[in-house]
Amino acid sequence: MLMKIFVYFGSIPQMPPLFMQNNSDDTNSIIPEQMKKYLLILLLTAQALTAGAQDYPEYQFSFGWGGYPAYEWMAYEMPFSDCELAIRYIHPDLRDIYRPYHSRMYSSGTFSGRFAINFKKWFTLSFDLAANLVWQNEFDAVSDRKNGSYVGFMIHAVPNARFNWLNREKVRMYSTIGLGFMTGKDAESSEFLILPSAQLNPVGIEVGRKLYGFCELGAGTMFTGAMAGIGYRF
């Protein structure tokens, strides 16, 4: 049947070559060599991009608890009111003995949640959302009964730049610096505040692979002293 078709239509015309050729050997080798180079470059580029995508960016989130912020120590622990007390002793007033007195200012410490993106092995960008509560009790000067409490709170929103100076599979050590803002209510004046927030943590450590624990030492408006918690990488 196939032979009959060939006989009927005649011979099949020859297809033109994909690349024009001539009798020169140099011309025949130019295009194949160029194509090999292009394919090799594309292959290496794709491999590099794929390898980078497998490792970075890496995401992680964590929750921690730390010491009370530096501004609380400055506002409530430093004896700014001693000058007022000295004036009262110099010029005593009988009414002062009937004034209500206050307890020390208490703090819940800082509760923090963090989301971080590891762009490079040495660099991480993170965002902290933290909150802390403060309160102070007031007592009657005659009966020593509790009149009530002054309560304040502060919420912090702070982006951080983290520099990883040790990055191993199970252990990471780093330093962070952050600058953002905080807002909340002052416990003593009940005034609503919006203030800048800054945090410097010279030393931090994470131990674990996917699920890890961390501890940071630092000072700032978010916390002073140490913060510790747990996190997860994905």
Side-chain angles (χ1 to χ4, degrees):
M1 181 66 181
L2 185 61
M3 293 299 297
K4 292 181 180 180
I5 294 175
F6 286 164
V7 172
Y8 182 80
F9 287 97
S11 61
I12 298 175
Q14 185 178 2
M15 296 296 295
L18 183 61
F19 299 102
M20 297 299 296
Q21 301 181 359
N22 53 29
N23 296 328
S24 174
D25 294 338
D26 295 337
T27 308
N28 291 337
S29 61
I30 289 176
I31 295 178
E33 289 298 328
Q34 289 180 345
M35 291 183 64
K36 290 179 181 179
K37 291 180 180 179
Y38 293 149
L39 290 175
L40 181 60
I41 292 173
L42 290 175
L43 181 61
L44 292 176
T45 303
Q47 185 177 4
L49 292 175
T50 304
Q54 291 176 353
D55 297 331
Y56 296 97
E58 180 188 54
Y59 305 95
Q60 61 186 79
F61 63 88
S62 60
F63 300 95
W65 177 79
Y68 59 82
Y71 75 88
E72 291 183 8
W73 177 80
M74 295 177 61
Y76 305 130
E77 297 296 335
M78 293 184 67
F80 290 131
S81 60
D82 286 354
C83 294
E84 183 181 355
L85 289 175
I87 293 174
R88 290 182 181 179
Y89 283 118
I90 296 172
H91 303 285
D93 191 337
L94 290 178
R95 291 176 298 180
D96 290 339
I97 64 175
Y98 298 106
R99 294 180 185 272
Y101 65 93
H102 302 85
S103 68
R104 294 177 58 88
M105 185 68 68
Y106 299 99
S107 174
S108 65
T110 299
F111 296 90
S112 175
R114 173 180 298 170
F115 176 75
I117 304 176
N118 299 303
F119 289 99
K120 299 290 184 180
K121 187 175 182 180
W122 59 272
F123 180 73
T124 302
L125 185 64
S126 64
F127 179 80
D128 285 356
L129 187 63
N132 68 290
L133 184 71
V134 294
W135 66 93
Q136 185 180 42
N137 300 321
E138 181 182 282
F139 297 90
D140 184 81
V142 178
S143 64
D144 291 332
R145 292 181 180 178
K146 181 179 176 181
N147 294 333
S149 300
Y150 298 96
V151 179
F153 67 92
M154 197 65 68
I155 298 174
H156 309 258
V158 181
N160 296 277
R162 188 176 93 175
F163 303 95
N164 307 305
W165 36 275
L166 177 65
N167 197 333
R168 298 291 185 264
E169 185 178 4
K170 294 184 180 180
V171 178
R172 297 183 183 183
M173 299 190 71
Y174 54 88
S175 302
T176 64
I177 184 170
L179 181 63
F181 71 93
M182 57 183 182
T183 182
K185 184 176 75 73
D186 183 71
E188 292 184 339
S189 65
S190 298
E191 181 183 2
F192 187 80
L193 304 173
I194 300 178
L195 299 170
S197 180
Q199 184 70 31
L200 176 63
N201 303 333
V203 180
I205 184 171
E206 294 177 351
V207 180
R209 291 182 179 177
K210 293 293 186 180
L211 183 65
Y212 63 90
F214 75 92
C215 182
E216 298 176 356
L217 302 178
T221 55
M222 284 185 57
F223 74 91
T224 301
M227 174 172 283
I230 60 173
Y232 183 77
R233 299 189 186 98
F234 59 98

